[in-house]
Amino acid sequence: MASKCRTTNHLGHFVLFNRIAALIRKGGRLINVSSAAHRRSNVDLEDPNFERTPYEPFVAYGRSKTANILFAVAFDKHIGTAACAPWRCIPGVIETELIRHMSPSWLQARVDEINQQLAAAGKPPMHWKGIPQGAATSVWVAVVAPADEIGGRYCEDCHVGSIVPAEVPANAVTEGVRGYAVQKLPRRSGRKAKKWLESRFDFPHYYRGTPHQEK
């Protein structure tokens, strides 16, 4: 399950971005949609498949969403051009088919927990966003926000998110991006992803070895 989560949420994005990067025209933008769930966990390059630690679905999901952000930061710095940079954003708590496999009782327990945290902070109860509301940040990042303000940044609710200190608990009240999600990772992390993918797929030449122009 951990492998499926990572493949669906991160490695698929990794493949797509690398395949289309050379095709993007000057002024184009790459947008990588992440999630507030990245605050649940940093990536674990030593145990990506939970072989040495108990498997926890939302920790696995959080790791994959952190990987989305880290990849966007690296792509913006090393692979994109001055006019071609990725942005990562979260659309918010949206009622989509993502929750279709969750039991109603489990989901209600999470909503109750969130509402308790919001109430303690003096905020109104949680409400689900509709699809248009959920898409607002993606649209804002793609066609409204100035490129020089959001390149390689984490965006949420139509603004650039701030870095959240590590000592701040991650809960429903927390906003922004965890520092570990925007740190510089060793290049071996990217090489690990490429090695894993090349063992399973036949990539075209420009993906395998032709680097894009670095900034």
Side-chain angles (χ1 to χ4, degrees):
M1 290 300 294
S3 178
K4 288 183 179 179
C5 183
R6 185 178 69 255
T7 301
T8 301
N9 292 331
H10 170 55
L11 294 178
H13 300 56
F14 185 93
V15 173
L16 177 62
F17 273 22
N18 278 277
R19 283 177 179 264
I20 68 175
L23 306 177
I24 297 178
R25 298 181 179 181
K26 182 178 180 179
R29 304 184 182 191
L30 287 177
I31 304 168
N32 199 7
V33 179
S34 184
S35 167
H38 82 273
R39 303 181 195 125
R40 287 181 173 269
S41 179
N42 193 1
V43 296
D44 187 343
L45 299 177
E46 304 305 322
D47 187 26
N49 293 320
F50 291 85
E51 295 173 329
R52 296 192 292 273
T53 54
Y55 175 70
E56 167 56 48
F58 274 90
V59 171
Y61 183 73
R63 289 180 183 180
S64 71
K65 291 293 141 182
T66 296
N68 290 155
I69 302 172
L70 289 166
F71 174 58
V73 172
F75 192 102
D76 179 64
K77 183 175 181 179
H78 298 293
I79 305 178
T81 67
C84 169
W87 294 267
R88 65 257 185 228
C89 58
I90 66 164
V93 183
I94 311 165
E95 192 167 11
T96 66
E97 291 190 357
L98 180 64
I99 62 175
R100 65 188 181 278
H101 298 303
M102 301 176 184
S103 69
S105 59
W106 185 93
L107 188 60
Q108 186 58 51
R110 303 289 79 73
V111 172
D112 292 343
E113 179 183 354
I114 291 172
N115 283 333
Q116 290 175 5
Q117 295 169 356
L118 292 172
K123 296 187 177 183
M126 187 200 87
H127 73 279
W128 294 97
K129 289 184 177 181
I131 301 299
Q133 291 175 311
T137 300
S138 298
V139 174
W140 178 77
V141 167
V143 299
V144 177
D148 58 348
E149 294 182 9
I150 58 175
R153 304 289 183 86
Y154 177 88
C155 301
E156 57 185 353
D157 292 328
C158 297
H159 69 272
V160 176
S162 59
I163 296 179
V164 181
E167 61 270 17
V168 176
N171 55 37
V173 183
T174 309
E175 296 182 349
V177 60
R178 288 293 188 183
Y180 56 68
V182 292
Q183 67 181 332
K184 181 180 179 181
L185 279 182
R187 285 189 176 272
R188 67 186 177 90
S189 61
R191 289 196 294 268
K192 274 190 174 184
K194 284 190 67 176
K195 183 177 180 180
W196 188 91
L197 290 163
E198 288 177 346
S199 69
R200 290 160 172 78
F201 303 100
D202 182 21
F203 289 120
H205 173 71
Y206 70 80
Y207 176 83
R208 280 183 176 275
T210 305
H212 301 296
Q213 181 180 357
E214 293 201 1
K215 292 185 178 180

